[in-house]
Amino acid sequence: MAQVYEHPIFPFTAPPELLEGRVGNAAVCVVGAGPVGLAIAIDLAARGVQVVLVDDDETVSHGSRLICISKRTLEIFDRLGAGAGFAEKGVVWNKGRLFFGEDEVYSFDLLKEDGHQWPAFVNIQQYYAEDFLVRATERLPNLNIRWKSAVVGVEPSSDHVRLTVGTPEGPYDLDADYVVACDGASSFVRRTLGLEFDGRTFQDRFLITDVTMQAEFPSERWFWFEPPFHEGQSALLHKQPDSVWRIDLQLDQSADPGVEDREENVRPRIERMLGVDAEFEIDWISLYTFRCQRLQRFTAGRIFFAGDSAHQVSPFGARGGNGGVQDADNLAWKLAAVINGDAPDALLASYDVERIPASDENILNSSRSTDFMTPKSQAVRDIRDAVLALARDHGFARRMVNSGRLSVPAVMDGSPLNTPDFGAFDGPMRPGAAALDAPVVTADGTDWLLHQFSGDFTVLLYLGDANDALPDGWPRALPAMVNPLVIAPISGPGVIGDPEGNVRVRYDLKPGTVYLIRPDQHVAARTRTFSSMWLQGALARALGNAGDNA
Amino acid sequence: MSALVTDDQIAAPDDLYQALVDAHEGLADAESRQLNARLILLLANHVGDLAVLQEAAALARASVLRDRPDA
């Protein structure tokens, strides 16, 4: 029978604060060891910051919850040293099929392009994701995870935040220079500060279940509108590792939460879908009311909100967890740069400036998907059904079918950290975009472009030939926090090769083109003509100094 | 500036009206509603211009609201 994940138990150990009866200190306290909290804690610690991560539980996620890990999230987890587990264990899928009634309406392929380390998505239970991330913390002595430790008090002041932490052996106080609240949709930190969400709550309910079964369905995302087995509603079937399948069933507005999530009521619904003879076990049941909402600001003094504590979306589109991990990616390097004295406090303001529009993009997409699945009137249902019917024959209608617009990283257009292009560029790698991966050749063999970016800023120079002259002052006069990377069609000493031209095409490179890449692997600036002055200006902007040095 | 043409551009109005009526011939109410919805989508794609569609939708909506008893 199927392999079953065994939850590790992470024991509580009394911290020095309790043993010595004193108030503790941390540069950053991250609240909540979910995927977002773990990501930001690892990222901060890897940048030399002293981090305390507190979590009220003693193990990883119960239930599989977030299952679709996007390419960008995989790249981030890989950068954090947790990629291997996802590559080994995750179920790779690129294809989705849509059904209307009995008929397949169409199918789509998410990633048609070769030359990327990671697929568009892998499916994996959240407990695995957290398990891999917890293991990646082990090499970081300055990251202290404290299990069975619940924040029970938050007292902000001008130069620190005092947290009271409740433990099995009593409470203690911890003074943190900064707090990152990754404590989920019902965030204690958020509620304590009296911050409210703005947005929409949808009336419809979705029954989200995981079942274990031996089944021959392929590794594809199957979505039904009005399937014969679940009349008038929608349904989703998606594969996870260990013979676990995610099944989502839309329920109508009258569905009773205390009743519909009982196993004896869920089982007949799944039998109608899989057939009465199907053998399956129900692992997890959750009844969801969709919410698309966010905090007005994700920053409150020295406290930052990331992931579900800051914003929530409906699950179709996988924009909740993936969006949250991108919050972590965005905040960690900024917080580290300020704490390490490499950037002014002003850099921290760019977290809201960059992540609020990203959150709005996720909320817009996920609201529209939910509206498509849950027509609010008969007339709107008529239009929706007409789209689905026409989609069988017409491409224009297929493009309107919305069973979830799957997570892609937001491009931070208009961010004050971006420097306008110097020279004309084509292609998607404009300032604010997450850097695209591509295969490269290094002295050690074939590798991936994103692996060549250091944890700091990277300045990427393209040469027409590995032997061409370098610009004046390269690399000797480059600022200390910038890591030089030289690329040419064929590799050479100190020069990375791009033999298939993927990097050249994706980044619209010409001999002499230079990109400045941020520590979170987003494009900060690009120029056709390199100069030290350009680099200093772009770096200053990217560090939040626009007012002083631009 | 208006993107939507509301000037009379129909050469044979009776034929056009009849074409719409004929399309519903023999259909049940639910089928007719689907016909209308599919017709809107096909024509919207033919127009292909969001601004035109938004203007037409606003005009149609205003026309409907004007007919409310309390308007």
Side-chain angles (χ1 to χ4, degrees), chain A residues 378 382 385-387 389 396, chain B residues 33-34 37-38 40-42 45:
Chain A
Q378 185 58 53
D382 288 345
D385 289 351
V387 167
F396 81 84
Chain B
R33 288 204 323 262
Q34 267 306 300
R38 293 179 200 190
I40 289 169
L41 289 166
L42 287 162
N45 181 59

Side-chain angles (χ1 to χ4, degrees), chain A residues 419-484:
Chain A
T419 296
D421 283 344
F422 193 72
F425 281 89
D426 284 328
M429 287 294 91
R430 61 187 192 269
L436 283 173
D437 205 1
V440 294
V441 175
T442 71
D444 303 324
T446 55
D447 202 346
W448 299 99
L449 178 65
L450 296 186
H451 291 170
Q452 313 311 311
F453 297 162
S454 74
D456 251 328
F457 283 87
T458 298
V459 61
L460 180 159
L461 165 67
Y462 185 70
L463 297 179
D465 186 289
N467 299 313
D468 285 354
L470 294 165
D472 282 347
W474 185 291
R476 176 178 39 82
L478 294 175
M481 59 188 314
V482 166
N483 174 56

Side-chain angles (χ1 to χ4, degrees), chain B residues 1 3 5 15 17-18 20 35 38 45 48-49 53-54 58 62 64 68:
Chain B
M1 202 184 73
V5 178
D15 290 348
Y17 184 84
Q18 194 59 44
L20 289 173
L35 183 130
R38 293 179 200 190
N45 181 59
D49 183 336
L53 186 77
Q54 284 171 326
V64 167
R68 274 191 177 171

Side-chain angles (χ1 to χ4, degrees), chain A residues 349-421:
Chain A
S350 71
Y351 175 60
D352 272 11
V353 173
E354 293 190 331
R355 289 311 297 172
I356 286 176
S359 167
D360 285 344
E361 188 176 307
N362 288 330
I363 286 173
L364 176 70
N365 277 289
S366 119
S367 301
R368 285 176 167 177
S369 301
T370 309
D371 278 335
F372 193 88
M373 286 171 210
T374 60
K376 302 300 182 285
S377 70
Q378 185 58 53
V380 173
R381 180 175 286 272
D382 288 345
I383 295 172
R384 197 284 303 267
D385 289 351
V387 167
L388 289 166
L390 290 175
R392 290 173 298 198
D393 300 321
H394 300 287
F396 81 84
R398 263 168 236 156
R399 292 178 58 211
M400 290 187 209
V401 175
N402 192 341
S403 74
R405 298 287 180 230
L406 292 157
S407 175
V408 286
V411 179
M412 291 167 301
D413 287 313
S415 166
L417 306 192
N418 297 346
T419 296
D421 283 344

